[in-house]
Amino acid sequence: MPDPREPVTPVTPADLTHAVRLAAATLRQAPPDADWSVKAGGIDWDCWETVEHLADDLFAYAAQLGPEHPPRTTEVPFLWYRRRDGGPANVTFADRAAGVAGLLQVLEACGALLTGMAATTAPTVRAHHVWGVSDPEGFAAMGIVETLVHTYDIAGGLGIGDTWNPPADLCSRVLHRLFPDAPTGTAPWPTLLWATGRGDLPGRPRLTTWRWHGEPRGAAG
């Protein structure tokens, strides 16, 4: 069956900027006394750690595109480490002394790094990701998915989940780019939550494992 989302415009660096700014604006709506040490939704990290993980993903995707000859079989060899057992393994962390305002600045800064790399890297460039060697558009799309679903996790943990409803067109573009097997007759945001193991769709079991496909669609990569 033809995909009713086609033709779909490509994911752009501006889409990533939009996603990160929406996320930061939503998280700034948390009450001043919100406890950022509570679990983020259904994941094992707390809300602060999950923002750090998200920011670090954006940083790492930008870095992956950075070398003159990006690696296709492994990550750029930064030193990842965990601040606690079970916490996320990151390259970047936020200074807790700077508070939530500083944490969200780190998120915005890392998002801007990926936006800049996606905008200035030739579309023919390919770099490694464990879920498929990808191009700059793919890395931008990955950054958007990370931003949308982890903001869902964090907002839920902070009790402001009802305020997070990403634009349907943005969700549709990243679904088309990264989730070719996702259903097409359902609303884009609930479909993205389903595709990332976070939600239900009528007539479909909730996913217990999931992945995206980073390879450019219609190309060998």
Side-chain angles (χ1 to χ4, degrees), residues 11-13 16 61 65 114 118 135-145 174:
V11 176
T12 68
L16 176 61
Y61 295 163
L65 292 168
L114 179 54
D135 59 351
E137 182 199 2
F139 279 100
M142 294 178 212
I144 292 168
V145 172
V174 295

Side-chain angles (χ1 to χ4, degrees), residues 24-129:
T26 294
L27 297 179
R28 288 190 180 102
Q29 295 178 40
D33 60 350
D35 182 2
W36 288 70
S37 69
V38 301
K39 296 295 184 185
I43 63 178
D44 292 332
W45 303 323
D46 68 33
C47 290
W48 182 286
E49 289 174 328
T50 306
V51 177
E52 287 185 323
H53 163 77
L54 169 56
D56 194 68
D57 279 341
L58 300 175
F59 168 84
Y61 295 163
Q64 201 65 19
L65 292 168
E68 182 178 2
H69 301 290
R72 290 197 177 204
T73 60
T74 189
E75 288 83 11
V76 175
F78 289 97
L79 175 63
W80 278 268
Y81 71 97
R82 305 178 192 274
R83 281 185 162 173
R84 66 168 183 87
D85 289 343
N90 292 355
V91 174
T92 61
F93 294 89
D95 182 355
R96 287 183 179 261
V100 172
L103 175 66
L104 297 180
Q105 282 186 342
V106 170
L107 172 60
E108 290 178 317
C110 290
L113 291 175
L114 179 54
T115 294
M117 289 303 301
T120 58
T121 302
T124 54
V125 167
R126 301 289 184 268
H128 170 79
H129 186 275

Side-chain angles (χ1 to χ4, degrees), residues 164-186:
W164 183 236
N165 187 28
D169 61 336
L170 186 60
C171 298
S172 183
R173 284 196 288 280
V174 295
L175 281 165
H176 181 267
R177 177 60 180 80
L178 296 177
F179 297 92
D181 298 326
T184 59
T186 50

